[in-house]
Amino acid sequence: MKKIFGSFFLASLFLGVQAQDNIDVERRQLTITTTTEPIQVDGNLSENVWQTAPAVTNFELNQPIDGQRAKKQTVVQIIHDERYVYIAAKMWDDPDYIIQTLKRDNTAENDEFSVLIDPVGQRTNGFLFSTSAYGVQSEALISASGTGLSSTNLDLSWDNRWFSEVQRHADYWTVEIAIPFKTLRYKANIKEWGINFYRLEPGSNEIHTWSPVPRQFDFFDLGYTASMIWNKAPEKQGSNVSFIPYATTRMEQVNTENGKETDYKFDVGLDAKVAITPTLNLDLTVNPDFSQVEVDRQVTNLTRFNIFFPERRQFFLENADVFNEFGQFAERPFYSRRIGLDPSGQTVPINYGVRLSGNLNNRLRIGAFNMHSGAGDNGPAQNYSSLTFQQRIWERSSIKGIFLNRQAFSDGELQDDDYGRNLGGEFNYSTSDGKWTALGGYLHSFKEGFDDENQHVYGRFSYSGQQFRTFLTLQSMGENYFADMGFTGRLFNFNPLTNEVERIGFTQVANMMDYYIYPKNSEKVNFHWSGLENFIYFNHDIGLNEWYTRLRHFIFFKNTSQLRFRLNNNYIDLAVPFALTETPLPIGDYNMTEFNVQFNTDVRKLVNTEWFVVYGQFYNGTKLTYRGSLNYRVQPWGTFTLGIEQNHIRLPAPYGDLDLTLATGRFEVNFTNNLFWTTFLQYNTQADNFNINSRFQWRFAPMSDVFLVYTDNYVVDGMFGPKNRSLVLKMNYWLTL
């Protein structure tokens, strides 16, 4: 196996280096000038400076085709003073704008303008600021991702201070943006930054970019930014310290066999962000509270493994890729939900946290943190720490390393034998145009009593062309590899006969081949996407465990509707019994084939729907699954969604049948751009739970909020009855010095 990984890695590196010398990506340039004229951010563009500042235009299509000039005109200007970067944009369009919601951080299918700024100019990370034609703001962190075929990762969970206003007219709309230098992580005296401007135009189902981006890449791809040249490089902004205190009061009620138990809590805490340098940020937290986090979306899990849920908590988000982007697929050495949340999603008290992340220089990024949690219901107090780096080499490649440590404490004393540590590194290679990528990584775990089979080795090679795209991945994880701060769901096999979890090491080989067809003269179809996928798993000392093959054909229409066909075959050799019903399925071979169809209507319409149906073999029986959602939008203030998923599993005697229902309702009422009310209902028979989560949010000042959150859970099996409920009132305020 080591020889296979070594040959794979060297071949990928050789091919990448060969491609490196033959690629020359042309970059557009603009010059940003200085102004001393006061600018009022009102979307009016009436200041004299906007009459004379240089403008960029000639936007090109990224979707549905590239290499063509956008028909609808967009003009953008950019200037700066001592405190802000100002952007003005004018978009010619008809007044029938499409706005999905007034809620922040919803950047899909809206008439929208965006700017991407890479202050370091190294194409490793950047900041995306977007506003819709109704003034709804979204901001995101952009990072060069080491996963999948996409070369860029978008994280909309990040929030920070910036200002924008729009004005709408009969045949165009304008936006004015002011971004504080203190919001941007930049290094003084760098005269060349990366930048790009984007326009989402859902009316014609198009994406326009100023610096051209090939259609096989996301429009915000860092590799295709233009150069922004400063007439005078921005200097350090002096002190940049933000304090975010919070206060929260909480009522929790739990129903037990002895009756209702009610608990009242009041907490205060503090987060702080300190700019050590313009590109290096220190995050501090004392007694943090995460009550504003939305409840996780429940899913029906018919697999043998745990589900990977995303992180939403603000403290973990800035420069998160420096910590997160190790490993392959869902197998990760660091998964921040291990800190402060138990496996069921309930909070564990955190005493404090310190986190340092950012750029030491133009090509070196680092990350370090230390967090200490109190004792919870499931174990003793824990200390979590990490140190990681990312060194940029060549144009879009990097060498990375990480160290992770979990250490248990009991009554304030360190427990010598209760720890989990990981040490490892990665090499990521990408050609300058992002078409060819390669990756090789090694992770080692350290835990008391486990000295062998404790490695995670992985690699990937991929190609992303206009029509043909492919990847090949390999990874091997020993049965004694532990990632106490990470996610290793594939290792764990629950044996219902012994009521124990068995760890079984595995090796995975996966490949994908996709082919895209872009009809030139079709009036209805944007493109066809046909593909073949294979995922093969070998359990160590056992042999072939699973082989999953998928054939698919997708049709993407010009009106945003989509039609998808899939034919799946899944061979499984169960190593341990699988308990779907009261009688577990026995170990042995199972060969299953299923067919599914998925269709969604035009998402731009006020009423749209999506349906998914699958039928086929399921272990030694059959499975029929159908899922649907109905969405209604009252533009621009309301969105209402109903969803249903049903699984009907029929197994021979004595294993029985299984019928599972997951029903959801989501109702959003946005009174203004700063006043939101969201209610989420979830009825899940598999989890025996009916959940109500209703959240009111008032953003009364930039980055400052009042939350009122009500959560209620009920048993649904048998007699419908309450489990627990909570009511939380929280206020936080962002103060920048």
Side-chain angles (χ1 to χ4, degrees):
M1 182 56 62
K2 291 182 179 178
K3 290 182 178 180
I4 294 175
F5 274 100
S7 301
F8 168 85
F9 178 75
L10 291 174
S12 300
L13 178 60
F14 174 77
L15 289 172
V17 172
Q18 293 299 306
Q20 174 77 15
D21 296 332
N22 298 323
I23 295 172
D24 182 18
V25 180
E26 182 180 353
R27 299 185 76 181
R28 290 188 176 183
Q29 289 188 352
L30 66 83
T31 300
I32 180 170
T33 58
T34 307
T35 184
T36 57
E37 178 183 345
I39 295 178
Q40 183 178 356
V41 180
D42 55 9
N44 192 20
L45 311 188
S46 59
E47 289 85 359
N48 291 331
V49 67
W50 296 130
Q51 315 311 315
T52 59
V56 299
T57 183
N58 297 331
F59 277 57
E60 296 192 13
L61 292 180
N62 162 256
Q63 297 292 341
I65 57 176
D66 57 14
Q68 293 188 17
R69 188 68 53 82
K71 294 180 180 178
K72 294 185 177 180
Q73 189 178 8
T74 302
V75 176
V76 182
Q77 298 167 285
I78 183 167
I79 57 174
H80 75 96
D81 60 18
E82 294 181 351
R83 297 179 57 197
Y84 296 94
V85 175
Y86 298 94
I87 298 117
K90 187 175 183 180
M91 282 70 60
W92 274 264
D93 202 354
D94 58 63
D96 296 327
Y97 305 113
I98 295 174
I99 302 297
Q100 299 287 343
T101 177
L102 293 178
K103 192 174 181 181
R104 290 177 57 87
D105 296 330
N106 285 264
T107 182
E109 305 299 335
N110 296 311
D111 275 283
E112 193 167 285
F113 172 80
S114 304
V115 55
L116 169 60
I117 298 178
D118 173 9
V120 183
Q122 292 296 312
R123 300 180 175 181
T124 54
N125 62 300
F127 305 90
L128 185 72
F129 302 92
S130 305
T131 182
S132 75
Y134 274 69
V136 180
Q137 289 186 338
S138 302
E139 59 272 280
L141 293 175
I142 309 292
S143 60
S145 174
T147 61
L149 283 178
S150 176
S151 59
T152 304
N153 180 59
L154 175 75
D155 188 346
L156 280 163
S157 301
W158 176 72
D159 282 330
N160 218 308
R161 290 168 57 92
W162 61 290
F163 309 93
S164 66
E165 292 291 341
V166 303
Q167 289 198 7
R168 296 179 296 276
H169 303 271
D171 57 352
Y172 67 92
W173 63 284
T174 59
V175 60
E176 206 166 12
I177 295 172
I179 304 172
F181 279 109
K182 290 186 177 183
T183 295
L184 302 169
R185 306 298 182 200
Y186 69 95
K187 196 170 183 65
N189 301 320
I190 296 179
K191 294 196 67 173
E192 183 177 352
W193 291 15
I195 196 166
N196 208 352
F197 306 108
Y198 315 107
R199 180 177 175 185
L200 275 62
E201 217 295 296
S204 54
N205 195 15
E206 294 178 348
I207 298 176
H208 307 167
T209 69
W210 175 60
S211 179
V213 181
R215 60 188 168 192
Q216 69 264 39
F217 299 112
D218 295 318
F219 66 89
F220 48 82
D221 194 294
L222 284 164
Y224 290 88
T225 55
S227 294
M228 181 169 67
I229 310 299
W230 295 82
N231 56 355
K232 181 182 179 183
E235 299 177 352
K236 185 178 179 180
Q237 285 289 300
S239 65
N240 186 358
V241 180
S242 297
F243 294 100
I244 310 104
Y246 82 87
T248 181
T249 182
R250 179 194 314 260
M251 184 279 288
E252 294 180 343
Q253 187 179 84
V254 179
N255 285 66
T256 67
E257 295 179 356
N258 300 322
K260 296 180 181 179
E261 296 180 1
T262 304
D263 187 23
Y264 297 92
K265 297 180 181 179
F266 176 78
D267 274 320
V268 293
L270 176 69
D271 288 343
K273 301 175 79 68
V274 182
I276 304 300
T277 71
T279 58
L280 193 62
N281 189 69
L282 179 67
D283 288 281
L284 306 170
T285 186
V286 178
N287 192 31
D289 178 82
F290 302 123
S291 61
Q292 78 271 27
V293 175
E294 291 189 42
V295 65
D296 286 321
R297 291 178 179 271
Q298 297 182 28
V299 297
T300 300
N301 185 8
L302 298 178
T303 74
R304 295 165 288 148
F305 308 105
N306 292 331
I307 300 296
F308 187 98
F309 288 103
E311 179 63 85
R312 296 189 180 98
R313 296 172 292 175
Q314 183 70 19
F315 178 81
F316 294 101
L317 297 178
E318 187 162 347
N319 293 307
D321 64 292
V322 179
F323 300 95
N324 295 345
E325 296 297 335
F326 290 84
Q328 190 104 269
F329 296 113
E331 281 70 41
R332 302 281 172 175
F334 179 67
Y335 177 44
S336 58
R337 286 176 64 102
R338 297 286 187 225
I339 303 174
L341 291 173
D342 67 18
S344 66
Q346 300 302 307
T347 58
V348 175
I350 294 178
N351 299 331
Y352 70 84
V354 181
R355 187 172 179 271
L356 181 71
S357 62
N359 285 75
L360 283 183
N361 56 47
N362 290 0
R363 304 183 74 82
L364 176 61
R365 299 175 69 207
I366 65 164
F369 73 78
N370 182 270
M371 300 194 76
H372 199 85
S373 71
D377 295 336
N378 298 322
Q382 302 285 345
N383 185 269
Y384 303 91
S385 57
S386 175
L387 181 65
T388 180
F389 75 90
Q390 182 184 101
Q391 174 66 52
R392 189 64 171 265
I393 60 175
W394 302 322
E395 189 168 352
R396 299 184 67 179
S397 305
S398 64
I399 296 174
K400 306 191 297 182
I402 191 169
F403 172 72
L404 297 159
N405 181 59
R406 178 203 59 82
Q407 179 66 61
F409 285 78
S410 181
D411 297 324
E413 297 292 330
L414 183 148
Q415 302 299 295
D416 293 336
D417 59 349
D418 190 353
Y419 64 87
R421 297 170 187 142
N422 297 88
L423 178 67
E426 272 188 17
F427 169 73
N428 285 268
Y429 177 81
S430 174
T431 55
S432 58
D433 62 359
K435 291 182 178 179
W436 299 86
T437 66
L439 175 152
Y442 176 85
L443 294 160
H444 197 96
S445 75
F446 302 87
K447 185 175 280 289
E448 185 75 17
F450 298 94
D451 297 323
D452 62 351
E453 296 296 323
N454 54 352
Q455 300 89 18
H456 181 198
V457 187
Y458 53 95
R460 188 191 76 241
F461 172 77
S462 67
Y463 172 76
S464 301
Q466 284 269 340
Q467 292 185 280
F468 179 69
R469 303 169 200 178
T470 186
F471 71 71
L472 171 66
T473 69
L474 299 171
Q475 69 171 326
S476 181
M477 185 177 289
E479 66 180 67
N480 295 326
Y481 174 83
F482 291 84
D484 292 358
M485 296 167 62
F487 190 89
T488 54
R490 190 85 199 182
L491 275 181
F492 298 97
N493 293 263
F494 177 73
N495 190 331
L497 301 182
T498 63
N499 204 30
E500 295 179 351
V501 175
E502 300 180 15
R503 298 176 60 88
I504 303 177
F506 70 91
T507 295
Q508 178 198 38
V509 181
N511 79 289
M512 178 275 293
M513 292 182 291
D514 283 339
Y515 191 77
Y516 292 73
I517 299 174
Y518 301 90
K520 292 183 178 180
N521 300 313
S522 175
E523 295 182 358
K524 296 184 177 181
V525 176
N526 268 341
F527 62 91
H528 296 263
W529 170 7
S530 299
L532 169 67
E533 290 180 304
N534 285 283
F535 295 87
I536 308 170
Y537 297 90
F538 299 91
N539 280 348
H540 298 172
D541 301 326
I542 297 177
L544 178 64
N545 170 247
E546 184 172 356
W547 188 319
Y548 183 89
T549 298
R550 172 186 292 162
L551 286 169
R552 60 188 177 189
H553 183 76
F554 300 164
I555 306 172
F556 292 76
F557 296 94
K558 293 184 181 295
N559 68 352
T560 76
S561 61
Q562 300 176 16
L563 180 61
R564 304 175 182 233
F565 302 95
R566 301 178 183 91
L567 178 64
N568 308 323
N569 178 259
N570 193 13
Y571 166 82
I572 295 178
D573 181 4
L574 276 183
V576 297
F578 179 30
L580 262 178
T581 60
E582 292 184 359
T583 303
L585 294 171
I587 62 174
D589 296 349
Y590 299 87
N591 194 3
M592 302 165 274
T593 299
E594 65 179 22
F595 179 74
N596 67 60
V597 179
Q598 183 178 356
F599 177 70
N600 69 264
T601 61
D602 188 342
V603 298
R604 303 170 302 181
K605 300 295 186 182
L606 297 180
V607 178
N608 61 84
T609 185
E610 179 178 355
W611 294 97
F612 172 86
V613 179
V614 56
Y615 180 77
Q617 297 164 307
F618 189 75
Y619 290 92
N620 55 0
T622 62
K623 176 170 68 73
L624 170 65
T625 298
Y626 53 89
R627 182 175 68 239
S629 66
L630 177 65
N631 309 287
Y632 175 61
R633 185 173 85 254
V634 183
Q635 186 166 300
W637 58 266
T639 56
F640 308 91
T641 301
L642 295 175
I644 184 72
E645 177 183 331
Q646 294 221 280
N647 286 272
H648 301 288
I649 297 172
R650 299 294 177 259
L651 302 173
Y655 309 108
D657 300 333
L658 188 64
D659 294 295
L660 300 174
T661 299
L662 174 62
T664 60
R666 187 178 183 89
F667 314 108
E668 293 185 4
V669 177
N670 306 305
F671 303 100
T672 69
N673 288 2
N674 298 307
L675 197 62
F676 319 112
W677 179 34
T678 302
T679 298
F680 194 23
L681 309 178
Q682 299 183 99
Y683 175 85
N684 189 343
T685 59
Q686 186 181 37
D688 189 21
N689 192 63
F690 174 68
N691 170 261
I692 303 171
N693 180 259
S694 189
R695 186 176 78 160
F696 177 86
Q697 178 186 358
W698 174 34
R699 176 148 289 189
F700 62 90
M703 300 303 300
S704 305
D705 303 278
V706 172
F707 295 96
L708 182 63
V709 184
Y710 173 75
T711 303
D712 210 349
N713 290 286
Y714 294 84
V715 175
V716 299
D717 188 18
M719 183 177 295
F720 192 89
K723 289 183 181 179
N724 54 72
R725 59 174 52 100
S726 67
L727 182 65
V728 179
L729 176 64
K730 175 180 176 179
M731 177 179 176
N732 62 267
Y733 183 72
W734 186 296
L735 175 64
T736 299
L737 303 181

